[in-house]
Amino acid sequence: MTDRTVLITGATAGIGEAAARTFAAAGWRVIGTGRRADRLEALAADIGPQMHALAFDMRDGAAIDDALASLPPAFQAIDLLINNAGLALGTAPAHQADLAQWQQMIDTNISGLIAITHKLLPRLVERKGAIINLSSVAATYPYSGGNVYGGTKAFVQQFSLGLRSDLHGTGVRVTSIEPGMVETEFTLVRTGSQAASDALYGDARPMTAQDIAQTLLWVASQPPHLNINRLELMPVTQSFAGFQVARG
Ligand code: 8X3
């Protein structure tokens, strides 16, 4: 058991839900956040009193304040922020993409992430806490249709390194986790198609949400003198393609 508390954004599904279960099983108190209150409450009921469900929209600063102010005393001292909430929308090339989808990715993956981080930073500095941000391999390696999604994840990667620099001397640790293909609702959300999701993950042996949750716990369990700056993960079946050349 530990007396530490983690706040996990986007805990309603996928990596966030797996992380909530994994950290609770390791003895952490877990604050799970998200917009879908019913799913959060169901998860909290399953995990038990170690989890507190906090439903709010991360794009709304006043809603974040109200939510944090409503935390029961036992959950107020937050040691670790896991910025997991995020999404990809669309796979169209940039010149055919939907601007509203681009904006929605920026709102969640960047604006929401910086808003909750900004709110929690004073507490994290006070407690010499830690931040783990979920970036992606898409931060480093461009792929067709990745455009703004990759751009948002590059922001998360670089923001993580920038936080490390700004928090120098505070004892606060910051990590950018950069997974490749993980089988979650990610592709269903991105494409709106269960068939597309099944076709991508089908026999590809992708990573699982549990793989990433275990990695998050491992990062959080390192001794306080050690900071994992960036950690990139892929399934064995995923690697890199070469440059493309248009001819004619
Ligand atoms: C998404 C990574 O490889 O599924 O963050 O596009 S990948």
Side-chain angles (χ1 to χ4, degrees):
M1 287 295 279
T2 166
D3 64 351
R4 290 191 289 174
T5 300
V6 56
L7 187 148
I8 304 170
T9 68
T12 49
I15 293 169
E17 178 185 344
R21 293 185 189 280
T22 299
F23 276 78
W28 288 64
R29 278 185 296 269
V30 174
I31 304 163
T33 82
R35 273 183 297 170
R36 292 172 287 188
D38 51 340
R39 282 173 82 151
L40 276 182
E41 294 296 347
L43 181 62
D46 205 25
I47 287 178
Q50 254 173 280
M51 177 174 161
H52 183 79
L54 206 57
F56 61 89
D57 183 345
M58 293 214 316
R59 295 165 302 180
D60 180 345
I64 299 176
D65 284 335
D66 289 348
L68 293 175
S70 77
L71 283 171
F75 288 85
Q76 279 177 9
I78 296 166
D79 301 282
L80 171 62
L81 166 63
I82 298 183
N83 275 315
N84 162 74
L87 80 172
L89 292 172
T91 55
H95 57 292
Q96 293 164 358
D98 181 333
L99 181 60
Q101 291 192 330
W102 280 5
Q103 197 61 57
Q104 196 178 337
M105 288 187 278
I106 291 168
D107 287 350
T108 303
N109 301 2
I110 298 180
S111 301
L113 184 145
I114 63 168
I116 185 80
T117 303
H118 187 261
K119 297 281 185 204
L120 288 180
L121 270 171
R123 301 185 196 206
L124 292 167
V125 168
E126 199 177 307
R127 292 185 65 76
K128 291 187 172 22
I131 301 171
I132 307 178
N133 291 325
L134 266 294
S135 176
S136 164
V137 294
T140 304
Y141 312 103
Y143 59 81
S144 301
N147 46 67
V148 167
Y149 174 70
T152 65
K153 291 301 181 177
F155 172 88
V156 173
Q157 179 194 80
Q158 190 66 10
F159 181 55
S160 304
L161 298 177
L163 283 175
R164 279 230 69 213
S165 182
D166 284 3
L167 295 166
H168 182 78
T170 64
V172 175
R173 297 187 283 175
V174 186
T175 301
S176 171
I177 298 285
E178 298 160 18
M181 186 170 55
V182 183
E183 184 168 7
T184 61
E185 293 176 0
F186 178 85
T187 299
L188 176 60
V189 170
R190 181 177 215 167
T191 62
S193 161
Q194 188 61 52
S197 179
D198 292 346
L200 177 64
Y201 299 132
D203 55 359
R205 282 173 290 152
M207 295 185 289
T208 65
Q210 189 57 30
D211 291 331
I212 308 304
Q214 290 293 349
T215 302
L216 294 169
L217 182 63
W218 176 79
V219 168
S221 305
Q222 295 307 303
H225 69 277
L226 199 160
N227 194 97
I228 311 286
N229 292 342
R230 292 179 49 211
L231 190 56
E232 186 180 290
L233 306 92
M234 280 179 169
V236 175
T237 52
Q238 184 181 27
S239 65
F240 316 99
F243 292 113
Q244 48 192 348
V245 178
R247 300 181 190 279

